[in-house]
Amino acid sequence: MVVYQVYPRSFQDSDGDGIGDLNGVTARLDHIRELGADAIWLSPFYPSPLADGGYDVADYEAVDGLFGTLQDADALIAAAHERGLKVLFDVVPCHTSIEHPWFREHPDWYVWSDRDGPQNNWRATFGGPSWSRDPVSGRWYLHSFYPEQPDLNWRNPEVPRAFGEALRFWLDRGVDGFRIDALDRILKDPQLRDDPAATGPPPLPEAHMEAGLEQRNSRNAPDIGTAVAQLRAAAGDDALLVGEVYLLSGGLKPYLEHLDACFCFELLHAPWEAGAVRAAVAAAAATGQAAWVLSNHDFPRLPDRVGARNVRAAALLLLTLPGMAFVYQGDELGMADGSDGGHDRAGRDRHRHPMAWDTTPNAGFTTGEPWLDVVVPADGPASEQREGSMLDWYRSLIALRRDLEGELELLDAGADVVAFRRGAHVVALNLGAADRPAPATSQLVLATPGATAATLAPGGAFVALG
Ligand code: NOJ
């Protein structure tokens, strides 16, 4: 399955306020269908003060006026289903917005320090201590992310109950499943003990490395599976559940027992060199439930991460691996990062610039003033991308993907080359800076300009019959 990630704020504005909205998404569904995707995942559009781009939810069962209405959400779900697209919403169980009524009405649904100050040495993901003083009660609450995002206490049975209701609210409206945010954070050490000093670099890059702590107690508690099981029980067996779990593949078992898939962050962060990419692919493929992803609204876009020369090869890798593949909006156009607009304190605006649709002002994203500039990709806006363009490349890859069957079998293809077999097909890409011999195949099926049956130029890649 190919899932297309829509970041609603930057996809399509329908009312001229410069901010993308749900009706805009509905109006552009044909773009996603023509790409060949099977499903869409929408980043949050719930009522929110937007302290964390909507991942600070103030009501799990409503639509923020900025993005539209509940009826617009219903219309979007129906229009997606008419086109054969499944719909995944984004749910945020770890924390609410500090403006969620629960924070005042049910303080015992949150995690508090028992003293006048931080309970322990835990550090928040975007910097600073994980504890802040609530000016109303004077007590200190836990927040794994920004201070505006108090953590829910999943050890209080009322929390899974209330959260389960929110899941069922959307399932009853026709949603097919969820991408579950920051899942490794929902259960911490029950005694809230300090994190120990780190003995090496973190397994995956951290936004703020200054603390030098190993996040042993502040997340991924040994009994985390019980909370994941509660989410599955609430959603039912038919819902598609994809976990955002910020751990290496080897640690995903308690999550994967209850979820359909988890994102493979090892590959998203792997330096673009053959050894690291091979290792990440091998580790995640071994779980049998990888959700492959190379970019999203939190991390640099592909040209910025792997270099313009390697973007097509990276897309080819993403879309030929077995399992679910996630394509972040704009990647199919070859979008690069834009400038920092000063909205997100962690500097992630750069990865969230609006889509470039056509040659009208603001590339068709809005008739108003866009909240962030539209970044027009090297191959032009969507309407101008013809044969040989990035959009054409993505469409071809997704179409070809239907023919790829079988398990992944990594091949030894020499320096700088990652190659694997899938049934009758062989996939190969050169991640290095020099021409490399291609693995022997009988017939190329799809190849970048820099690839022939004999040689892979830097950034060259192909799918061939073995
Ligand atoms: C992961 C989301 O993708 C990110 O945007 C957000 O800041 C954190 N989780 C906290 O919700």
mmCIF file of all heavy atoms in Angstrom, residues 396-420:
data_model
loop_
_atom_site.group_PDB
_atom_site.id
_atom_site.type_symbol
_atom_site.label_atom_id
_atom_site.label_comp_id
_atom_site.label_asym_id
_atom_site.label_seq_id
_atom_site.Cartn_x
_atom_site.Cartn_y
_atom_site.Cartn_z
ATOM 1 N N SER A 396 5.245 6.364 -12.381
ATOM 2 C CA SER A 396 5.742 5.111 -12.975
ATOM 3 C C SER A 396 6.152 4.122 -11.894
ATOM 4 O O SER A 396 5.885 2.918 -11.999
ATOM 5 C CB SER A 396 6.953 5.387 -13.870
ATOM 6 O OG SER A 396 6.640 6.351 -14.829
ATOM 7 N N LEU A 397 6.814 4.629 -10.856
ATOM 8 C CA LEU A 397 7.256 3.736 -9.786
ATOM 9 C C LEU A 397 6.065 3.102 -9.067
ATOM 10 O O LEU A 397 6.071 1.905 -8.755
ATOM 11 C CB LEU A 397 8.099 4.516 -8.763
ATOM 12 C CG LEU A 397 9.523 4.858 -9.194
ATOM 13 C CD1 LEU A 397 10.139 5.863 -8.209
ATOM 14 C CD2 LEU A 397 10.383 3.596 -9.252
ATOM 15 N N ILE A 398 5.049 3.917 -8.801
ATOM 16 C CA ILE A 398 3.896 3.383 -8.061
ATOM 17 C C ILE A 398 3.135 2.377 -8.930
ATOM 18 O O ILE A 398 2.661 1.348 -8.438
ATOM 19 C CB ILE A 398 3.005 4.538 -7.548
ATOM 20 C CG1 ILE A 398 3.780 5.332 -6.479
ATOM 21 C CG2 ILE A 398 1.697 4.001 -6.972
ATOM 22 C CD1 ILE A 398 3.108 6.600 -5.994
ATOM 23 N N ALA A 399 3.072 2.652 -10.232
ATOM 24 C CA ALA A 399 2.410 1.692 -11.131
ATOM 25 C C ALA A 399 3.192 0.373 -11.179
ATOM 26 O O ALA A 399 2.616 -0.712 -11.083
ATOM 27 C CB ALA A 399 2.287 2.289 -12.529
ATOM 28 N N LEU A 400 4.510 0.482 -11.250
ATOM 29 C CA LEU A 400 5.353 -0.710 -11.322
ATOM 30 C C LEU A 400 5.282 -1.522 -10.032
ATOM 31 O O LEU A 400 5.364 -2.763 -10.049
ATOM 32 C CB LEU A 400 6.802 -0.288 -11.606
ATOM 33 C CG LEU A 400 7.878 -1.366 -11.502
ATOM 34 C CD1 LEU A 400 7.616 -2.474 -12.515
ATOM 35 C CD2 LEU A 400 9.256 -0.766 -11.725
ATOM 36 N N ARG A 401 5.134 -0.824 -8.924
ATOM 37 C CA ARG A 401 5.084 -1.459 -7.614
ATOM 38 C C ARG A 401 4.062 -2.590 -7.550
ATOM 39 O O ARG A 401 4.250 -3.576 -6.838
ATOM 40 C CB ARG A 401 4.747 -0.360 -6.610
ATOM 41 C CG ARG A 401 4.755 -0.731 -5.187
ATOM 42 C CD ARG A 401 4.448 0.493 -4.357
ATOM 43 N NE ARG A 401 4.091 0.095 -3.009
ATOM 44 C CZ ARG A 401 4.985 -0.182 -2.079
ATOM 45 N NH1 ARG A 401 6.259 -0.055 -2.336
ATOM 46 N NH2 ARG A 401 4.606 -0.571 -0.884
ATOM 47 N N ARG A 402 2.959 -2.418 -8.310
ATOM 48 C CA ARG A 402 1.904 -3.465 -8.309
ATOM 49 C C ARG A 402 2.447 -4.799 -8.814
ATOM 50 O O ARG A 402 1.914 -5.855 -8.494
ATOM 51 C CB ARG A 402 0.733 -3.071 -9.206
ATOM 52 C CG ARG A 402 0.288 -1.655 -9.076
ATOM 53 C CD ARG A 402 -0.768 -1.473 -7.994
ATOM 54 N NE ARG A 402 -0.869 -0.058 -7.646
ATOM 55 C CZ ARG A 402 -0.764 0.431 -6.419
ATOM 56 N NH1 ARG A 402 -0.587 -0.366 -5.389
ATOM 57 N NH2 ARG A 402 -0.838 1.726 -6.178
ATOM 58 N N ASP A 403 3.492 -4.746 -9.637
ATOM 59 C CA ASP A 403 4.031 -5.990 -10.209
ATOM 60 C C ASP A 403 5.099 -6.626 -9.320
ATOM 61 O O ASP A 403 5.570 -7.728 -9.617
ATOM 62 C CB ASP A 403 4.691 -5.722 -11.575
ATOM 63 C CG ASP A 403 3.710 -5.139 -12.568
ATOM 64 O OD1 ASP A 403 2.503 -5.364 -12.388
ATOM 65 O OD2 ASP A 403 4.162 -4.451 -13.504
ATOM 66 N N LEU A 404 5.531 -5.908 -8.301
ATOM 67 C CA LEU A 404 6.624 -6.446 -7.479
ATOM 68 C C LEU A 404 6.046 -7.361 -6.419
ATOM 69 O O LEU A 404 5.198 -6.948 -5.635
ATOM 70 C CB LEU A 404 7.400 -5.309 -6.812
ATOM 71 C CG LEU A 404 8.056 -4.304 -7.747
ATOM 72 C CD1 LEU A 404 8.808 -3.264 -6.943
ATOM 73 C CD2 LEU A 404 9.005 -4.998 -8.710
ATOM 74 N N GLU A 405 6.533 -8.565 -6.420
ATOM 75 C CA GLU A 405 6.028 -9.531 -5.448
ATOM 76 C C GLU A 405 7.197 -10.220 -4.775
ATOM 77 O O GLU A 405 8.289 -10.255 -5.308
ATOM 78 C CB GLU A 405 5.177 -10.596 -6.154
ATOM 79 C CG GLU A 405 3.811 -10.075 -6.531
ATOM 80 C CD GLU A 405 3.079 -11.026 -7.449
ATOM 81 O OE1 GLU A 405 3.636 -12.083 -7.795
ATOM 82 O OE2 GLU A 405 1.945 -10.683 -7.829
ATOM 83 N N GLY A 406 6.903 -10.764 -3.623
ATOM 84 C CA GLY A 406 7.921 -11.581 -2.972
ATOM 85 C C GLY A 406 8.706 -10.827 -1.929
ATOM 86 O O GLY A 406 8.724 -9.608 -1.877
ATOM 87 N N GLU A 407 9.347 -11.626 -1.110
ATOM 88 C CA GLU A 407 10.157 -11.119 -0.007
ATOM 89 C C GLU A 407 11.366 -10.375 -0.539
ATOM 90 O O GLU A 407 11.777 -10.563 -1.678
ATOM 91 C CB GLU A 407 10.672 -12.306 0.825
ATOM 92 C CG GLU A 407 9.603 -13.197 1.390
ATOM 93 C CD GLU A 407 9.017 -12.614 2.654
ATOM 94 O OE1 GLU A 407 9.775 -12.444 3.621
ATOM 95 O OE2 GLU A 407 7.803 -12.316 2.652
ATOM 96 N N LEU A 408 11.945 -9.595 0.332
ATOM 97 C CA LEU A 408 13.166 -8.880 -0.023
ATOM 98 C C LEU A 408 14.381 -9.769 0.241
ATOM 99 O O LEU A 408 14.502 -10.365 1.302
ATOM 100 C CB LEU A 408 13.244 -7.615 0.831
ATOM 101 C CG LEU A 408 14.531 -6.816 0.740
ATOM 102 C CD1 LEU A 408 14.199 -5.352 0.488
ATOM 103 C CD2 LEU A 408 15.333 -6.945 2.008
ATOM 104 N N GLU A 409 15.234 -9.871 -0.775
ATOM 105 C CA GLU A 409 16.471 -10.647 -0.604
ATOM 106 C C GLU A 409 17.625 -9.727 -0.992
ATOM 107 O O GLU A 409 17.812 -9.410 -2.174
ATOM 108 C CB GLU A 409 16.395 -11.862 -1.536
ATOM 109 C CG GLU A 409 17.521 -12.835 -1.392
ATOM 110 C CD GLU A 409 17.565 -13.776 -2.623
ATOM 111 O OE1 GLU A 409 16.509 -14.053 -3.214
ATOM 112 O OE2 GLU A 409 18.685 -14.183 -2.966
ATOM 113 N N LEU A 410 18.361 -9.264 0.000
ATOM 114 C CA LEU A 410 19.462 -8.337 -0.293
ATOM 115 C C LEU A 410 20.551 -9.057 -1.075
ATOM 116 O O LEU A 410 20.874 -10.214 -0.796
ATOM 117 C CB LEU A 410 20.027 -7.779 1.008
ATOM 118 C CG LEU A 410 19.227 -6.611 1.618
ATOM 119 C CD1 LEU A 410 19.614 -6.388 3.074
ATOM 120 C CD2 LEU A 410 19.372 -5.324 0.813
ATOM 121 N N LEU A 411 21.130 -8.371 -2.065
ATOM 122 C CA LEU A 411 22.198 -8.958 -2.877
ATOM 123 C C LEU A 411 23.501 -8.262 -2.573
ATOM 124 O O LEU A 411 23.512 -7.094 -2.177
ATOM 125 C CB LEU A 411 21.874 -8.773 -4.372
ATOM 126 C CG LEU A 411 20.536 -9.325 -4.863
ATOM 127 C CD1 LEU A 411 20.295 -8.927 -6.317
ATOM 128 C CD2 LEU A 411 20.518 -10.845 -4.711
ATOM 129 N N ASP A 412 24.585 -8.959 -2.768
ATOM 130 C CA ASP A 412 25.890 -8.336 -2.605
ATOM 131 C C ASP A 412 26.300 -7.785 -3.966
ATOM 132 O O ASP A 412 26.596 -8.548 -4.879
ATOM 133 C CB ASP A 412 26.881 -9.392 -2.099
ATOM 134 C CG ASP A 412 28.198 -8.737 -1.704
ATOM 135 O OD1 ASP A 412 28.288 -7.493 -1.835
ATOM 136 O OD2 ASP A 412 29.116 -9.467 -1.292
ATOM 137 N N ALA A 413 26.265 -6.460 -4.106
ATOM 138 C CA ALA A 413 26.480 -5.890 -5.443
ATOM 139 C C ALA A 413 27.691 -4.964 -5.485
ATOM 140 O O ALA A 413 27.801 -4.128 -6.371
ATOM 141 C CB ALA A 413 25.220 -5.159 -5.894
ATOM 142 N N GLY A 414 28.575 -5.086 -4.525
ATOM 143 C CA GLY A 414 29.813 -4.306 -4.561
ATOM 144 C C GLY A 414 29.664 -2.932 -3.923
ATOM 145 O O GLY A 414 28.586 -2.541 -3.479
ATOM 146 N N ALA A 415 30.800 -2.205 -3.931
ATOM 147 C CA ALA A 415 30.867 -0.919 -3.221
ATOM 148 C C ALA A 415 29.807 0.055 -3.725
ATOM 149 O O ALA A 415 29.539 0.134 -4.929
ATOM 150 C CB ALA A 415 32.254 -0.308 -3.429
ATOM 151 N N ASP A 416 29.230 0.773 -2.807
ATOM 152 C CA ASP A 416 28.300 1.891 -3.076
ATOM 153 C C ASP A 416 26.937 1.473 -3.613
ATOM 154 O O ASP A 416 26.049 2.315 -3.776
ATOM 155 C CB ASP A 416 28.895 2.915 -4.072
ATOM 156 C CG ASP A 416 30.048 3.692 -3.476
ATOM 157 O OD1 ASP A 416 30.102 3.797 -2.240
ATOM 158 O OD2 ASP A 416 30.884 4.170 -4.261
ATOM 159 N N VAL A 417 26.769 0.197 -3.926
ATOM 160 C CA VAL A 417 25.503 -0.219 -4.550
ATOM 161 C C VAL A 417 24.642 -0.980 -3.537
ATOM 162 O O VAL A 417 25.122 -1.877 -2.857
ATOM 163 C CB VAL A 417 25.767 -1.107 -5.791
ATOM 164 C CG1 VAL A 417 24.449 -1.637 -6.372
ATOM 165 C CG2 VAL A 417 26.532 -0.311 -6.841
ATOM 166 N N VAL A 418 23.378 -0.560 -3.451
ATOM 167 C CA VAL A 418 22.387 -1.341 -2.703
ATOM 168 C C VAL A 418 21.550 -2.061 -3.746
ATOM 169 O O VAL A 418 21.061 -1.437 -4.693
ATOM 170 C CB VAL A 418 21.502 -0.430 -1.823
ATOM 171 C CG1 VAL A 418 20.321 -1.218 -1.250
ATOM 172 C CG2 VAL A 418 22.323 0.195 -0.697
ATOM 173 N N ALA A 419 21.435 -3.369 -3.587
ATOM 174 C CA ALA A 419 20.650 -4.147 -4.558
ATOM 175 C C ALA A 419 19.891 -5.232 -3.824
ATOM 176 O O ALA A 419 20.342 -5.755 -2.808
ATOM 177 C CB ALA A 419 21.574 -4.769 -5.609
ATOM 178 N N PHE A 420 18.729 -5.530 -4.338
ATOM 179 C CA PHE A 420 17.959 -6.633 -3.763
ATOM 180 C C PHE A 420 17.062 -7.240 -4.823
ATOM 181 O O PHE A 420 16.777 -6.631 -5.856
ATOM 182 C CB PHE A 420 17.160 -6.190 -2.533
ATOM 183 C CG PHE A 420 16.226 -5.027 -2.747
ATOM 184 C CD1 PHE A 420 14.923 -5.210 -3.185
ATOM 185 C CD2 PHE A 420 16.653 -3.723 -2.473
ATOM 186 C CE1 PHE A 420 14.059 -4.136 -3.354
ATOM 187 C CE2 PHE A 420 15.798 -2.634 -2.643
ATOM 188 C CZ PHE A 420 14.497 -2.839 -3.084
#
